[in-house]
Amino acid sequence: GNCVCCFLKGRQQLLSLMRLEPHHFDWWANMEVSRGASFRSDRPRYIDLLALAKSQGLLFSEWDEKDTIDCSCTD
């Protein structure tokens, strides 16, 4: 969707976006906190996801596909 922070996006997609541009999520986090509710009942609130995104490092650094080596594991 067009909405960067859409609650319909998957958790991992939101976490990736939060690492890149966390300021986009301020409104969403503030709405949940001020209303005492969450956009989704099946995952943590935006404020908790933001804390997770900030506290976790990346397992792999950002890389370019041209840096990979050829393999036949999916052939």
Side-chain angles (χ1 to χ4, degrees):
N2 292 344
C3 181
V4 173
C5 310
C6 181
F7 63 91
L8 296 175
K9 289 184 178 178
R11 177 182 171 152
Q12 293 306 318
Q13 187 177 11
L14 287 175
L15 286 170
S16 294
L17 292 167
M18 287 174 176
R19 285 185 192 99
L20 294 173
E21 299 186 82
H23 63 279
H24 285 297
F25 294 85
D26 292 343
W27 180 87
W28 294 81
N30 290 334
M31 289 306 295
E32 286 183 327
V33 169
S34 68
R35 307 264 184 205
S38 64
F39 288 99
R40 298 270 304 254
S41 63
D42 61 338
R43 70 170 174 227
R45 297 177 306 157
Y46 277 81
I47 197 159
D48 299 322
L49 288 174
L50 276 166
L52 182 64
K54 290 176 184 178
S55 69
Q56 281 188 335
L58 293 175
L59 182 58
F60 300 102
S61 63
E62 297 297 322
W63 52 274
D64 190 352
E65 285 188 30
K66 66 182 175 198
D67 293 335
T68 63
I69 56 175
D70 291 331
C71 71
S72 59
C73 61
T74 59
D75 291 343

